Amino acid sequence: MPRLDALMLTGRPRPVTPAYLLVSSTVQPEFSAALVGVKSPERAIADARARLRYFLEAIR
Amino acid sequence: MTRREVVNRRRGVLLLAPTVLALGTLTVYPGVWVLWLSLQHRIPIFGVSRFAGLDNYAFLAVDSRFSSAAATTIIFTVTSVALEVALGVAAALAIHAQRGGRRVALSLLLLAWAMPAVVTAKLFEWLYHPTAGLLNVALGGGHALNWLGDPRLALPAVVLADVWRTMPFVAVLCYARLLAIPAELYEAAQVDGAGRLATLVLITLPMLGRILLVAILFRTLDALRAFDLMFVLTGGGPAGTTETITVYAYRALFQTLQLGFGSALSVVVFVLVMAVAWAYLRLLRTSTVTA
């Protein structure tokens, strides 16, 4: 319990921003693709970035 | 126009009205609304709502996730429909050739088809389970295949589940047609000395032609919109390898609430399905004329 208490004080709940879901669901499949080797990590990051740019542009 | 004709016509319009009204409110209105949404940036949780023109479509043209989803949709449709038709015809022929047990065979086939897709998906989820699944146990231990987790196996696994589920639909349609082929045709073929293979290729398969076209039409349209099996089995994963356009549309529409972008995806599915339906119907019409 004391340990948990320390965690509680420093921890933060996951969706700290309403954009969390948008970013997470965009990035997750790309990271997963890089992890299992469907895409190269560079390609995955580039794809995630292109998509995020368009999505985040829309909510501005 | 005589009085009688006027009354008749008025009654006709009156009787048609409920159908037109129902179709209008349930399909035309939402359809037009989705088309309108797809031309906007609209994300309610951020209070975004502004006209975007064709931006969403322009982005789809360069979006790698969309092209991957489109490829998955096409591969899924072509392989599952081809396998379903081949196995369906084979099953229909096998049942037709049988003397006893036809009813049992038909009921068993229909059972697979009548099951809700989600139940089928859950069933296959257990069959495919990496350690406890029947499939891996049957293949023998040692090499536990991760059917739904391996990016190379996931799509074939989903196709297999779909084939198991909808092959009976094709089989039952073909079986009904087989029963309607006049026996004289077979007798004539026998008199002419046609072998079993010649009879199958020259009589049975051509007689199945029209009904097969209808079965393929239904199955293709369903497969292009496929959602439930992959959603339950893999959720579009691993790494998006089983994500169809409809799954992508669902994620955008209901998970991240990008109503505009998600609508653009739905419109693409709609156009795809309509184009295929139109092509098939043309084919069906010309084959009616020649037959």
Side-chain angles (χ1 to χ4, degrees), chain B residues 177-202:
Chain B
R177 183 73 186 99
L178 285 179
L179 291 182
I181 297 178
E184 296 92 72
L185 281 176
Y186 288 113
E187 284 161 18
Q190 217 168 11
V191 169
D192 287 343
R196 291 179 66 171
L197 189 68
T199 315
L200 177 70
V201 174
L202 296 172

Side-chain angles (χ1 to χ4, degrees), chain B residues 73 77 218 220-228 244 246-247 269 273:
Chain B
T73 306
T77 303
F218 276 111
T220 311
L221 297 190
D222 272 349
L224 284 173
R225 293 175 300 149
F227 174 79
D228 34 25
T244 55
T246 33
V247 174
V269 176
V273 168

